[in-house]
Amino acid sequence: MPKRSLPSAPLACRPHDHSHCVSDALDSAERICARLGLRLTTLRKRVLELVWQSHKPLGAYDILGVLTEEDGRRAAPPTVYRALDFLLENGLVHRIASLNAFVGCNHPGEAHQGQFLICRTCHAAIELEQSSISEAIVASAKSVGFNVEGQTVEVVGLCAGCRLPQ
Ligand SMILES: [Zn+2]
Ligand SMILES: [Zn+2]
Ligand SMILES: [Zn+2]
């Protein structure tokens, strides 16, 4: 029996053709890099593709492991970290601090803060897009004289796919 799923459940926690997510993400990355005059090298693109292998955040060591297997020789950690930095700086991935891992951005190319619902069972990270949340954080911070420079909100719980009975 397939799992029931809420119609409103995000893609990340219901069955879907994930190859579309990957190809959309790679296409957007190509477009964004072309627009900004940045080079999406083979390695950067491959790392992005690996981060997008699912909706679960992936650690740098997992990425290194796959690249090493593909190449038959040990991938150099600094090269992979640089590729991840490039993807982070250009808003193509987000870093999930609580998992020390990276996840593909759902709306790259648009200025936004990272807001994630992280399922403690399947580890899917669902990206929210609620400017009211970041505005509330900025306002609260301001009231205590704090100037916000960046924010990544990580919320832990159970996703729709894991909550519903099988
Ligand atoms: Zn997907
Ligand atoms: Zn994002
Ligand atoms: Zn889940």
Side-chain angles (χ1 to χ4, degrees):
M1 269 274 280
K3 281 188 177 181
R4 280 193 299 133
S5 55
L6 291 173
S8 61
L11 268 191
C13 45
R14 58 185 158 92
H16 66 283
D17 182 356
H18 185 65
S19 62
H20 284 302
C21 303
V22 179
S23 53
D24 284 355
L26 295 177
D27 288 350
S28 314
E30 298 270 16
R31 252 198 331 272
I32 290 163
C33 289
R35 194 175 68 210
L36 301 175
L38 301 166
R39 245 160 47 82
L40 189 62
T41 60
T42 314
L43 179 70
R44 288 168 174 173
K45 194 171 170 179
R46 182 66 187 128
V47 170
L48 181 63
E49 193 179 13
L50 287 174
V51 169
W52 266 102
Q53 69 175 245
S54 77
H55 293 276
K56 300 172 178 101
L58 194 67
Y61 273 92
D62 299 313
I63 295 168
L64 267 170
V66 178
L67 291 174
T68 299
E69 241 169 63
E70 284 175 352
D71 276 10
R73 62 193 161 85
R74 186 147 157 63
T79 0
V80 174
Y81 282 115
R82 275 200 298 273
L84 282 167
D85 280 344
F86 171 86
L87 298 173
L88 266 177
E89 275 164 26
N90 294 294
L92 299 170
V93 303
H94 290 282
R95 181 167 179 275
I96 305 294
S98 61
L99 300 173
N100 191 19
F102 300 86
V103 70
C105 176
N106 272 340
H107 29 91
E110 295 163 38
H112 64 284
Q113 305 291 339
Q115 300 160 351
F116 291 92
L117 304 177
I118 299 160
C119 178
R120 63 177 157 79
T121 300
C122 71
H123 297 130
I126 299 152
E127 183 165 6
L128 296 177
E129 200 181 347
Q130 290 287 336
S131 54
S132 57
I133 298 174
S134 35
E135 285 159 14
I137 290 173
V138 169
S140 300
K142 207 172 173 184
S143 72
V144 293
F146 189 93
N147 182 39
V148 175
E149 293 177 346
Q151 36 172 308
T152 304
V153 178
E154 302 181 17
V155 179
V156 177
L158 269 182
C159 80
C162 294
R163 275 180 52 222
L164 291 168
Q166 305 246 346

